[in-house]
PDB file of all heavy atoms in Angstrom:
ATOM      1  N   VAL Y 232     -30.363  12.598  15.536  1.00 86.00           N
ATOM      2  CA  VAL Y 232     -29.384  11.637  15.038  1.00 86.00           C
ATOM      3  C   VAL Y 232     -27.960  12.140  15.201  1.00 86.00           C
ATOM      4  O   VAL Y 232     -27.013  11.370  15.222  1.00 86.00           O
ATOM      5  CB  VAL Y 232     -29.645  11.280  13.581  1.00 86.00           C
ATOM      6  CG1 VAL Y 232     -29.199  12.385  12.641  1.00 86.00           C
ATOM      7  CG2 VAL Y 232     -28.952   9.952  13.201  1.00 86.00           C
ATOM      8  N   MET Y 233     -27.768  13.456  15.332  1.00 89.00           N
ATOM      9  CA  MET Y 233     -26.412  13.997  15.524  1.00 89.00           C
ATOM     10  C   MET Y 233     -25.828  13.435  16.820  1.00 89.00           C
ATOM     11  O   MET Y 233     -26.418  13.572  17.892  1.00 89.00           O
ATOM     12  CB  MET Y 233     -26.424  15.538  15.549  1.00 89.00           C
ATOM     13  CG  MET Y 233     -25.030  16.081  15.834  1.00 89.00           C
ATOM     14  SD  MET Y 233     -24.963  17.884  15.849  1.00 89.00           S
ATOM     15  CE  MET Y 233     -24.970  18.272  14.105  1.00 89.00           C
ATOM     16  N   ASP Y 234     -24.626  12.836  16.714  1.00 88.00           N
ATOM     17  CA  ASP Y 234     -24.050  12.254  17.881  1.00 88.00           C
ATOM     18  C   ASP Y 234     -23.476  13.354  18.804  1.00 88.00           C
ATOM     19  O   ASP Y 234     -23.144  14.467  18.358  1.00 88.00           O
ATOM     20  CB  ASP Y 234     -22.930  11.273  17.517  1.00 88.00           C
ATOM     21  CG  ASP Y 234     -21.816  11.933  16.737  1.00 88.00           C
ATOM     22  OD1 ASP Y 234     -20.889  12.443  17.338  1.00 88.00           O
ATOM     23  OD2 ASP Y 234     -21.873  11.903  15.462  1.00 88.00           O
ATOM     24  N   LYS Y 235     -23.404  13.018  20.075  1.00 91.00           N
ATOM     25  CA  LYS Y 235     -22.985  14.025  21.076  1.00 91.00           C
ATOM     26  C   LYS Y 235     -21.583  14.520  20.842  1.00 91.00           C
ATOM     27  O   LYS Y 235     -21.282  15.701  21.092  1.00 91.00           O
ATOM     28  CB  LYS Y 235     -23.120  13.375  22.474  1.00 91.00           C
ATOM     29  CG  LYS Y 235     -22.921  14.385  23.613  1.00 91.00           C
ATOM     30  CD  LYS Y 235     -24.039  15.427  23.629  1.00 91.00           C
ATOM     31  CE  LYS Y 235     -23.883  16.433  24.762  1.00 91.00           C
ATOM     32  NZ  LYS Y 235     -24.894  17.494  24.725  1.00 91.00           N
ATOM     33  N   GLY Y 236     -20.719  13.641  20.356  1.00 89.00           N
ATOM     34  CA  GLY Y 236     -19.352  14.073  20.084  1.00 89.00           C
ATOM     35  C   GLY Y 236     -19.279  15.159  19.050  1.00 89.00           C
ATOM     36  O   GLY Y 236     -18.532  16.152  19.233  1.00 89.00           O
ATOM     37  N   LEU Y 237     -20.072  15.022  17.992  1.00 92.00           N
ATOM     38  CA  LEU Y 237     -20.041  16.053  16.946  1.00 92.00           C
ATOM     39  C   LEU Y 237     -20.664  17.338  17.485  1.00 92.00           C
ATOM     40  O   LEU Y 237     -20.190  18.421  17.224  1.00 92.00           O
ATOM     41  CB  LEU Y 237     -20.864  15.571  15.723  1.00 92.00           C
ATOM     42  CG  LEU Y 237     -20.983  16.570  14.571  1.00 92.00           C
ATOM     43  CD1 LEU Y 237     -19.642  17.082  14.100  1.00 92.00           C
ATOM     44  CD2 LEU Y 237     -21.770  15.949  13.415  1.00 92.00           C
ATOM     45  N   GLU Y 238     -21.753  17.221  18.244  1.00 94.00           N
ATOM     46  CA  GLU Y 238     -22.361  18.406  18.846  1.00 94.00           C
ATOM     47  C   GLU Y 238     -21.368  19.148  19.747  1.00 94.00           C
ATOM     48  O   GLU Y 238     -21.277  20.387  19.685  1.00 94.00           O
ATOM     49  CB  GLU Y 238     -23.592  18.011  19.648  1.00 94.00           C
ATOM     50  CG  GLU Y 238     -24.343  19.171  20.247  1.00 94.00           C
ATOM     51  CD  GLU Y 238     -25.512  18.774  21.147  1.00 94.00           C
ATOM     52  OE1 GLU Y 238     -25.855  17.596  21.173  1.00 94.00           O
ATOM     53  OE2 GLU Y 238     -26.067  19.671  21.816  1.00 94.00           O
ATOM     54  N   ASN Y 239     -20.605  18.399  20.512  1.00 95.00           N
ATOM     55  CA  ASN Y 239     -19.619  19.012  21.397  1.00 95.00           C
ATOM     56  C   ASN Y 239     -18.521  19.735  20.589  1.00 95.00           C
ATOM     57  O   ASN Y 239     -18.088  20.825  20.963  1.00 95.00           O
ATOM     58  CB  ASN Y 239     -18.977  17.972  22.273  1.00 95.00           C
ATOM     59  CG  ASN Y 239     -19.903  17.450  23.370  1.00 95.00           C
ATOM     60  OD1 ASN Y 239     -20.924  18.083  23.635  1.00 95.00           O
ATOM     61  ND2 ASN Y 239     -19.593  16.308  23.930  1.00 95.00           N
ATOM     62  N   ARG Y 240     -18.107  19.125  19.476  1.00 95.00           N
ATOM     63  CA  ARG Y 240     -17.085  19.751  18.641  1.00 95.00           C
ATOM     64  C   ARG Y 240     -17.624  21.072  18.039  1.00 95.00           C
ATOM     65  O   ARG Y 240     -16.914  22.069  17.970  1.00 95.00           O
ATOM     66  CB  ARG Y 240     -16.612  18.806  17.529  1.00 95.00           C
ATOM     67  CG  ARG Y 240     -15.791  17.635  18.025  1.00 95.00           C
ATOM     68  CD  ARG Y 240     -15.255  16.837  16.868  1.00 95.00           C
ATOM     69  NE  ARG Y 240     -14.180  17.556  16.167  1.00 95.00           N
ATOM     70  CZ  ARG Y 240     -13.579  17.062  15.083  1.00 95.00           C
ATOM     71  NH1 ARG Y 240     -13.931  15.880  14.598  1.00 95.00           N
ATOM     72  NH2 ARG Y 240     -12.631  17.767  14.495  1.00 95.00           N
ATOM     73  N   LEU Y 241     -18.865  21.062  17.621  1.00 96.00           N
ATOM     74  CA  LEU Y 241     -19.473  22.257  17.046  1.00 96.00           C
ATOM     75  C   LEU Y 241     -19.536  23.383  18.070  1.00 96.00           C
ATOM     76  O   LEU Y 241     -19.158  24.514  17.791  1.00 96.00           O
ATOM     77  CB  LEU Y 241     -20.878  21.963  16.515  1.00 96.00           C
ATOM     78  CG  LEU Y 241     -20.942  21.040  15.295  1.00 96.00           C
ATOM     79  CD1 LEU Y 241     -22.388  20.661  15.009  1.00 96.00           C
ATOM     80  CD2 LEU Y 241     -20.343  21.717  14.072  1.00 96.00           C
TER      81      LEU Y 241
END
Side-chain angles (χ1 to χ4, degrees):
V232 76
M233 177 179 282
D234 61 87
K235 188 64 178 177
L237 178 56
E238 183 184 352
N239 289 343
R240 290 186 71 183
L241 291 171

